Amino acid sequence: MTKLRLPPGVRAIDRLMKANKNFSIERMDERALERAQTTVIPDAGLGAILAGLVIGRARAGVTIATSSFPAEHGEVPLRVYTPDASGGPRPVVVNFHGGGFALGSSRQGDWICSTVAADLDAVVVSVDYRLAPTHRFPAAVEDCYDALVWTAAHADELGGDPERIGLMGDSAGGNLAAVVAIMARDEGGPRVLHQSLIYPATDLTEGLREHESYLANTRGIVLSNADLEIFRAFYLTEDDDPSDWRLSPLHSKDLSGLPPAVVVVAGLDPLHDAGVRYAEALVAAGVHARVEDFHVMPHGFLGFPYFSRGAKPAMAAIVASQREALAR
């Protein structure tokens, strides 16, 4: 068998992640986890410049503003991306960041969200939902659904069109986007016209361990199988049923009537098969879904746009799919 040769950028990502234990939940102790959850990526200065070299800089021509909305438990922070050019009302995309339900923030998605804002000419609202293990399931689900409801109700104020709303999320955020789409359908919530699911975690059951992509994940680039198990243990309690569709949308008994989806997957990702299977399940339920498969990319590759040669074509595919569903 020919050994797969990793692209130079992927090798660089691998070395970067493995050189710093704070990039892996598997190697974090309690203090390191708390530090990771409370550290804020700066918006200006040298720290912002250095961060931008790794996670990408926001696109020019997009204004970024911080805001929040009132939930029952308190304020939920938001990061809002608006094109500078005059126009509107624009489509609105509600975004949920990745990080295994325990890490990450909307700030890490500046490149992704500003690219959608600029290229789709849309308002993007990114949600800083509560993180596990302090806030376990269903806290993140509640925050993300409430954010969708709030955004739809205030779309006009944001310069958006409440009749043209899409969802987007990567990794754990992809799970949340898929779940929120189902909730909106079932609870008579805002009408969602599109879902962009980026290497989504659609299966939190033990069945994930039988997926070929999980079994083949020997390199553990960006996301190891041990990381997955820890994230799962942080998010779920012993009383939770992992097959509950709010945890594992792949196991929903009814996926009909959901908005069209683009599902981006990465060939070197343990979650690859979970994403493909969810797209297949959507199609089987009569929902239009398209898979964009980047065979030599790892999990999280869109978070490293200057290292990942698949990042720009993946974003182009996402925006093209969003445009088809959300443009007038």
Side-chain angles (χ1 to χ4, degrees):
M1 174 182 282
T2 303
K3 185 177 180 180
L4 177 65
R5 182 172 176 78
L6 298 176
V10 174
R11 293 201 300 272
I13 294 170
D14 191 30
R15 287 194 295 268
L16 175 67
M17 299 294 287
K18 288 182 168 58
N20 190 330
K21 70 177 183 179
N22 292 326
F23 288 155
S24 171
I25 195 78
E26 179 187 1
R27 295 184 287 169
M28 285 185 189
D29 57 23
E30 186 174 338
R31 289 184 62 186
L33 175 62
E34 181 181 0
R35 187 164 55 249
Q37 290 184 333
T38 56
T39 297
V40 177
I41 302 172
D43 282 317
L46 180 59
I49 294 172
L50 294 175
L53 294 174
V54 178
I55 62 174
R57 295 182 293 273
R59 288 275 299 274
V62 175
T63 294
I64 302 174
T66 56
S67 182
S68 65
F69 76 91
E72 287 189 13
H73 62 83
E75 294 290 314
V76 175
L78 303 171
R79 196 168 176 88
V80 182
Y81 304 76
T82 307
D84 292 341
S86 60
R90 295 177 161 101
V92 181
V93 176
V94 183
N95 177 70
F96 311 126
H97 68 78
F101 307 101
L103 297 173
S105 70
S106 59
R107 170 68 172 85
Q108 73 191 32
D110 272 5
W111 183 76
I112 294 173
C113 292
S114 65
T115 296
V116 171
D119 292 351
L120 182 62
D121 190 30
V123 176
V124 179
V125 179
S126 195
V127 184
D128 274 312
Y129 53 85
R130 287 171 289 171
L131 298 177
T134 302
H135 305 287
R136 296 177 182 266
F137 170 79
V141 172
E142 292 170 348
D143 287 356
C144 291
Y145 183 73
D146 288 349
L148 168 64
V149 173
W150 181 90
T151 299
H154 295 81
D156 291 342
E157 301 167 27
L158 298 171
D161 183 348
E163 301 301 319
R164 292 187 291 156
I165 294 179
L167 297 171
M168 179 170 69
D170 63 292
S171 193
N175 169 291
L176 293 166
V179 168
V180 168
I182 299 172
M183 291 180 69
R185 178 200 65 184
D186 291 352
E187 298 186 14
R191 185 176 177 225
V192 176
L193 299 186
H194 187 267
Q195 48 185 329
S196 302
L197 310 179
I198 306 169
Y199 25 82
T202 64
D203 189 357
L204 301 189
T205 72
E206 293 187 1
L208 174 68
R209 300 169 185 167
E210 300 174 6
H211 293 187
E212 184 177 340
S213 60
Y214 183 97
L215 296 172
N217 185 38
T218 56
R219 292 185 178 91
I221 302 172
V222 179
L223 183 65
S224 70
N225 292 350
D227 290 334
L228 279 172
E229 298 301 326
I230 294 169
F231 283 134
R232 181 180 182 275
F234 279 170
Y235 189 47
L236 280 70
T237 70
E238 293 182 357
D239 296 328
D240 292 324
D241 176 6
S243 66
D244 183 330
W245 62 264
R246 297 173 300 161
L247 288 164
S248 299
L250 181 61
H251 293 275
S252 171
K253 291 181 172 58
D254 180 14
L255 295 176
S256 63
L258 292 176
V262 58
V263 183
V264 173
V265 294
L268 304 180
D269 180 4
L271 298 180
H272 173 277
D273 293 1
V276 172
R277 291 185 184 194
Y278 192 65
E280 292 173 342
L282 288 173
V283 171
V287 177
H288 177 75
R290 177 180 176 85
V291 172
E292 297 286 346
D293 198 334
F294 293 82
H295 302 289
V296 291
M297 290 290 105
H299 184 83
F301 73 93
L302 281 166
F304 306 94
Y306 307 139
F307 294 88
S308 306
R309 68 188 187 194
K312 287 185 178 180
M315 282 308 307
I318 289 168
V319 171
S321 183
Q322 291 171 328
R323 184 177 293 115
E324 186 176 347
L326 298 175
R328 289 188 183 276

